[in-house]
Amino acid sequence: MLALDSSKKLSFNRCISYGDLVITYERHDNMKAVKVCEGAVLQNRFGVFKHSDWVGKPFGTKVFSNKGGFIYLLAPTPELWTLVLSHRTQILYIADISFVIMFLEAVPGCVVLESGTGSGSLTTSLARAVAPTGHVYTFDFHEQRADSAREDFEKTGLSSLVTVGVRDIQGEGFPNELSGMADSVFLDLPQPWLAIPSAGKMLKEDGILCSFSPCIEQVQRACETLRSNFTDIRTFEVLLRTYEVREGKMDSCQGDDGVSVGSLPCKRRQRSSEGNVLESQSSSIAMARPCGEAKGHTGYLTFARLKCLS
C-alpha cells in the first residue's frame, strides 16, 4: 500500500513479495489482512490458497484455490486498513477521517501531531496525506497500545512517516522540541481542554487544531478554552446515510395511441376516463432506498485556527 520506494514515493503498482501485507477480499464485508510468508497457506470456505502463488502478482489479482474458489489480493490502503485493523480502542471511520483530513488541510510535506494513537486508523490516513516529505508524530499514554501501533505501521510500510511516542498529553503536554513545528494538531482525548494550551504552542501561525469528542459537554468546555488563542471555531457532526440500489419491476400502462401514462399499481387491463383500453407492461428499473441499518452518532469534530500574532 503505502510501501515507499528508494525515492520515498508511495508505490501502489509493485508486485507482491514475501513479507508484504495483503488484504484478502472475499466480499465487501469479509476481508482479512494477511502477511505473505514462505510455505504458508490461507484456508477459508473457498478452499486452500498458497501464499507462494501470490508472489510476483500485482495487487488486485484474482487468485484461485485448490477447489476452484477465488479471492482478490488487494493493497492495504488506509481505507481498507481501517476496515480490517485490530480494534484496541474505538476507531474513527472513513466519513470522519476524510472530513478531518480535508479541514486540517493535510497535504504532502505537512507535520501533524496526534493524541491519542489508539488503533492507528486516522494515523494511517494522515501519513498518506502528508507523504512523502511530511511526518506524523502520534502519542498514546498506554505503552502497550503504542507498541502495537508501532508494529502495525511497520507492517504497512509507514515507519518512515510516523513516529509513535508514549506520553500523557493531557498531563504533560506535547514535547517542547516540537514547539512551532506543527501545521495541524488532532486531539482524541477525554479532556481535550487540558491539552489545548500545549497544542497552541506546537502550531505554526495560522495552524489548525481538531478535537474529536463523543459528548457535547466535552465540546462546550473545549470551545471555552479555544476562545483565548484560536479563531474560526466550528463544530460538526458527520452522519452518513447509505442507500441500497437494486433492480426492480414497475408496471407502465400505455393507451391505444401508444403513449405511456405512467405506472399503475392496479390490474393488467384498465379503462381510462375516456374509455380507451390501457395496456400494462412491466419494465425493469433501478430502485434506491435507504439502508435499514443507518449508522448514527460517532462524535463531534471541533476545528479552530490559531490566531496570528501580527
Side-chain angles (χ1 to χ4, degrees), residues 179-199:
S179 180
M181 290 178 53
D183 296 280
S184 55
V185 173
F186 179 84
L187 302 177
D188 184 358
L189 301 170
Q191 297 176 296
W193 54 88
L194 297 179
I196 287 173
S198 174

Side-chain angles (χ1 to χ4, degrees), residues 3 14-22 34-37 59 76 155:
R14 64 185 181 80
C15 292
I16 297 168
S17 58
Y18 287 120
D20 282 345
L21 189 70
V22 172
V34 177
K35 184 177 180 180
V36 182
C37 299
F59 286 109
K155 292 177 187 176

Side-chain angles (χ1 to χ4, degrees), residues 48-304:
V48 177
F49 299 85
K50 295 181 180 179
H51 287 201
S52 58
D53 294 338
W54 304 354
V55 175
K57 291 182 169 59
F59 286 109
T61 296
K62 181 179 182 180
V63 293
F64 293 87
S65 70
N66 60 328
K67 294 181 179 179
F70 64 87
I71 58 174
Y72 291 95
L73 306 177
L74 305 181
T77 63
E79 293 79 12
L80 292 178
W81 182 245
T82 289
L83 299 177
V84 301
L85 58 76
S86 299
H87 287 203
R88 296 178 286 273
T89 60
Q90 181 62 39
I91 69 169
L92 267 69
Y93 287 96
I94 292 171
D96 286 326
I97 290 173
S98 56
F99 201 87
V100 167
I101 290 177
M102 176 68 74
F103 271 78
L104 285 184
E105 300 174 6
V107 296
C110 283
V111 173
V112 182
L113 307 188
E114 178 194 24
S115 181
T117 310
S119 299
S121 174
L122 175 63
T123 318
T124 303
S125 291
L126 286 172
R128 183 179 64 179
V130 304
T133 56
H135 203 84
V136 179
Y137 295 89
T138 182
F139 300 90
D140 203 294
F141 75 93
H142 194 282
E143 187 170 358
Q144 187 175 354
R145 263 203 310 257
D147 290 340
S148 297
R150 198 177 289 113
E151 291 174 7
D152 284 348
F153 299 142
E154 287 281 350
K155 292 177 187 176
T156 51
L158 293 176
S159 54
S160 63
L161 295 168
V162 179
T163 298
V164 183
V166 179
R167 191 176 179 91
D168 177 13
I169 299 299
Q170 285 187 170
E172 305 174 57
F174 289 97
N176 289 331
E177 56 266 28
L178 298 176
S179 180
M181 290 178 53
D183 296 280
S184 55
V185 173
F186 179 84
L187 302 177
D188 184 358
L189 301 170
Q191 297 176 296
W193 54 88
L194 297 179
I196 287 173
S198 174
K201 295 176 183 177
M202 301 301 112
L203 286 168
K204 299 175 182 177
E205 279 197 12
D206 208 37
I208 304 170
L209 178 143
C210 175
S211 175
F212 175 87
S213 298
C215 302
I216 196 64
E217 292 81 7
Q218 295 168 306
V219 174
Q220 291 169 336
R221 191 157 179 186
C223 288
E224 290 173 1
T225 306
L226 285 168
R227 286 195 184 98
S228 58
N229 293 313
F230 288 82
T231 186
D232 193 21
I233 302 169
R234 291 184 283 175
T235 298
F236 302 90
E237 181 184 24
V238 182
L239 299 177
L240 183 66
R241 191 178 191 187
T242 305
Y243 277 72
E244 294 176 342
V245 180
R246 295 181 178 179
E247 187 176 331
K249 299 290 184 181
M250 183 180 73
D251 289 339
S252 178
C253 295
Q254 291 184 340
D256 292 343
D257 56 359
V259 178
S260 174
V261 294
S263 61
L264 291 173
C266 44
K267 296 178 181 179
R268 284 286 175 188
R269 294 175 62 87
Q270 299 190 6
R271 281 190 185 276
S272 68
S273 57
E274 290 81 11
N276 294 331
V277 175
L278 301 178
E279 296 290 341
S280 178
Q281 297 178 345
S282 182
S283 60
S284 179
I285 61 168
M287 305 174 67
R289 65 178 182 181
C291 291
E293 298 180 2
K295 290 184 179 179
H297 171 79
T298 56
Y300 300 102
L301 295 167
T302 299
F303 295 88

